[in-house]
Amino acid sequence: MKNFKIILIFYLFKTSLAQEIVGRIYFLKNTSDLTPEAKEIIKKIAQELKERTNIIIDIVGYTDSLGSLKKNLELSKGRAEVVKRHLINDYGIEKERINTFGFGPRNPIASNKDEEGRKLNRRVEIYIRPPDAILSWYRNNVFIQPSYLHYWMDAFSDAYLYKLYKVNTKNKSSAEIFFPGKGELLVDEEALIIIYGFTEKIKKTDFKNVEISKGAIRSLLRGLSKEENFVVNTPAAFVELYSKNSKIHVNKKLATLLSIYEGKALVSASGIEVTVNEGEGTKVEMGKPPEPPRPLPDVPKVVLPLKDTTLSGEKILFKWIKNSFLTHIQCAQDSIFREIIEDTVLIEDSLILKLPSGVYFWRISGIDKDSLEGKFSDIFKFEIIEEIKFNFSIDRIVKDEAGNFIIKGKVDPYIEVLIDNEKVKVNEDGSFYHILKTKKNKVIVDLIDREGNTISTELNLDE
């Protein structure tokens, strides 16, 4: 057999979403043999595949336009298959990671009217397959399992995720999964989800974009059109989200908890389908139909710290007015809540955190007794500066006949005093006398200096 020259252009792997060519091999007509030079380049591709064990490739074979279409389709497929066999047999690349196609004379890159052009068209091209999703961000202990591996990989930013890939978040860990052109899912701690992507629908019950086995996800699917849905399969229910903002939680008993913050959802289980509208939620237990939708808890009213306040000291009091069974509080060092410092659920109406100087953001939501969570509040930004000490003391608290509290105390003369949001008149020597009409036994005292620095404390009126 005559020797023939193989020209191959090798491209570095990239991370954009478009299909990217990583190798191109040219052949003489009627052959699919590989020369030593070609094998050396394929070796480089194999090494890259071993380093990036989460990616999948497409190998596409082509021919020139000479000969019959049937023969050219067979030849082009054979050229792709020989590259695949080389990667599998010589380098141990998993066969599930390689797809082969034969397109014959289609998609020419040069004219077929002369031999020089036909040489360029007799080729195999190797591409990185565009992912169904991307692990765009993660925090702490997150793992990925490709469908062809029996073990879990450590997560890394911008990891490609394909159909049937799994993502697992551990304790105090979270992740963000980006669906190109659609939006993202925020994966809470202790969650396990399976990626399906936006594959073609065969029939309603077979189609899903993701499957969640445990834990919670929050959807931020801003790219969905009004007619488009995002389908989530859980152990207990089939959920069609026509919603750009929602939460789905699979609890330890495998019940599905759905909260809709925007749009609506169709929830199916045990042959029953219900519509959950914006501001509503439902619970679906294993083997049972969905419960009738009901209103989600209202957003708790924030008391402290309010927006754009400046505080001093290390111990910061967070306080709110409860309107639900539990309250979910998050505090972070960034406004998109990736650098989370505190993420907890409380039955109380306050929390004290020890925080160093810096800028912080926090928000809260209400949770009912069935663990359905309402919408998050607005984001409250505040700043902690080096501790500022004000001279402030309460000399006396007396309750008069009308049930009002008479509060006497002293403060630095230049300090403004607010008790339960009521301004207190402070005398030139710093003394004050204030009558407070309230039925509460605890109030908030705000001390504000000339620069606007504020110290807030809780005052027990029963003491």
Side-chain angles (χ1 to χ4, degrees):
M1 184 175 65
K2 293 182 179 180
N3 291 330
F4 59 91
K5 183 177 181 182
I6 295 180
I7 305 171
L8 184 143
I9 303 174
F10 181 76
Y11 297 87
L12 294 176
F13 283 75
K14 301 177 183 179
T15 58
S16 72
L17 297 183
Q19 190 179 43
E20 302 164 37
I21 186 170
V22 295
R24 184 179 285 159
I25 301 173
Y26 297 93
F27 298 88
L28 290 181
K29 58 185 175 182
N30 296 325
T31 182
S32 58
D33 295 333
L34 299 172
T35 66
E37 291 84 3
K39 292 178 180 179
E40 192 62 31
I41 297 301
I42 293 174
K43 178 181 178 181
K44 293 181 181 179
I45 295 176
Q47 289 172 344
E48 193 75 26
L49 288 170
K50 287 183 177 181
E51 290 178 7
R52 299 178 64 188
T53 53
N54 65 305
I55 61 172
I56 291 175
I57 62 170
D58 294 332
I59 303 176
V60 185
Y62 294 101
T63 66
D64 59 30
S65 61
L66 298 179
S68 70
L69 177 60
K70 180 180 179 181
K71 180 180 177 182
N72 283 332
L73 288 172
E74 291 174 353
L75 179 59
S76 62
K77 178 70 170 178
R79 286 172 174 171
E81 286 291 335
V82 76
V83 176
K84 177 179 179 178
R85 286 196 300 271
H86 196 61
L87 287 168
I88 295 171
N89 297 335
D90 290 15
Y91 298 104
I93 303 301
E94 297 88 349
K95 64 181 180 180
E96 294 86 354
R97 302 178 63 190
I98 306 171
N99 302 289
T100 57
F101 306 89
F103 289 161
R106 283 180 281 177
N107 304 323
I109 59 174
S111 173
N112 277 304
K113 294 181 179 180
D114 55 59
E115 181 57 23
E116 288 303 312
R118 289 192 290 269
K119 286 181 180 178
L120 295 176
N121 291 332
R122 296 191 289 263
R123 70 198 190 278
V124 161
E125 293 177 343
I126 304 169
Y127 300 90
I128 295 178
R129 171 166 287 200
D132 293 290
I134 292 177
L135 185 73
S136 51
W137 172 84
Y138 71 99
R139 177 176 67 99
N140 297 337
N141 299 316
V142 178
F143 301 92
I144 302 168
Q145 187 179 49
S147 56
Y148 47 83
L149 293 181
H150 64 276
Y151 58 86
W152 290 89
M153 302 166 45
D154 290 338
F156 57 94
S157 294
D158 298 325
Y160 279 16
L161 305 174
Y162 298 94
K163 185 177 180 180
L164 299 181
Y165 278 34
K166 298 177 182 178
V167 177
N168 184 205
T169 57
K170 299 299 184 180
N171 184 41
K172 295 185 178 179
S173 303
S174 54
E176 181 182 271
I177 297 176
F178 174 68
F179 290 87
K182 306 299 180 182
E184 59 267 359
L185 295 182
L186 306 181
V187 185
D188 286 355
E189 65 177 355
E190 301 287 3
L192 174 62
I193 72 169
I194 304 173
I195 303 296
Y196 285 84
F198 285 80
T199 54
E200 183 180 356
K201 291 185 181 181
I202 300 174
K203 58 182 181 179
K204 176 178 174 179
T205 55
D206 290 337
F207 177 77
K208 48 197 165 188
N209 299 109
V210 298
E211 183 175 314
I212 175 169
S213 300
K214 66 175 183 176
I217 58 173
R218 296 174 183 268
S219 66
L220 296 173
L221 301 168
R222 300 300 179 192
L224 289 183
S225 66
K226 290 183 178 179
E227 298 77 24
E228 199 171 11
N229 64 359
F230 189 88
V231 180
V232 181
N233 195 47
T234 74
F238 183 84
V239 182
E240 297 178 75
L241 292 174
Y242 294 87
S243 168
K244 298 180 179 181
N245 190 356
S246 62
K247 179 185 177 182
I248 300 177
H249 180 202
V250 175
N251 66 18
K252 292 181 179 180
K253 294 183 178 180
L254 301 183
T256 297
L257 306 168
L258 171 66
S259 299
I260 299 297
Y261 308 128
E262 184 179 346
K264 68 176 183 179
L266 303 180
V267 184
S268 304
S270 299
I272 303 297
E273 181 179 271
V274 300
T275 300
V276 184
N277 293 308
E278 184 172 320
E280 294 181 337
T282 188
K283 179 180 180 181
V284 188
E285 296 181 355
M286 288 290 292
K288 296 182 180 181
E291 294 181 0
R294 60 181 183 269
L296 295 172
D298 292 332
V299 176
K301 183 180 178 181
V302 168
V303 178
L304 291 172
L306 295 174
K307 288 184 179 179
D308 300 318
T309 55
T310 302
L311 308 173
S312 66
E314 290 185 338
K315 293 184 178 180
I316 304 301
L317 173 65
F318 295 81
K319 189 169 180 60
W320 54 90
I321 297 175
K322 283 186 61 177
N323 56 9
S324 57
F325 180 60
L326 298 170
T327 303
H328 183 188
I329 175 172
Q330 288 185 331
C331 181
Q333 291 180 298
D334 65 314
S335 60
I336 58 176
F337 289 82
R338 285 185 170 178
E339 302 299 324
I340 290 180
I341 295 171
E342 185 73 20
D343 188 354
T344 189
V345 173
L346 300 169
I347 197 168
E348 296 82 11
D349 63 357
S350 64
L351 174 69
I352 295 177
L353 293 179
K354 187 176 181 180
L355 301 173
S357 300
V359 175
Y360 297 90
F361 303 82
W362 78 291
R363 61 186 181 183
I364 55 176
S365 64
I367 300 176
D368 68 16
K369 290 185 177 181
D370 277 333
S371 297
L372 288 176
E373 183 170 355
K375 191 174 183 179
F376 270 121
S377 66
D378 291 339
I379 297 172
F380 293 82
K381 175 185 175 183
F382 65 96
E383 183 178 6
I384 301 175
I385 60 175
E386 294 294 333
E387 185 174 3
I388 299 174
K389 294 183 178 180
F390 296 156
N391 291 316
F392 172 77
S393 61
I394 297 295
D395 298 329
R396 195 176 185 189
I397 300 176
V398 178
K399 196 170 185 179
D400 64 17
E401 294 180 356
N404 302 319
F405 289 94
I406 301 172
I407 304 173
K408 294 182 179 181
K410 194 164 187 179
V411 69
D412 290 327
Y414 58 86
I415 298 300
E416 181 181 355
V417 180
L418 298 177
I419 299 179
D420 207 21
N421 290 322
E422 292 183 13
K423 189 173 182 179
V424 175
K425 182 180 179 181
V426 178
N427 301 319
E428 290 185 1
D429 63 353
S431 63
F432 62 84
Y433 174 97
H434 184 69
I435 299 175
L436 182 65
K437 298 179 180 180
T438 183
K439 294 182 179 180
K440 297 184 290 186
N441 59 359
K442 291 182 180 180
V443 293
I444 299 298
V445 177
D446 297 313
L447 307 176
I448 308 169
D449 68 10
R450 295 188 184 102
E451 288 74 36
N453 298 317
T454 303
I455 293 179
S456 299
T457 186
E458 192 171 62
L459 179 62
N460 192 339
L461 299 176
D462 290 337
E463 292 181 354

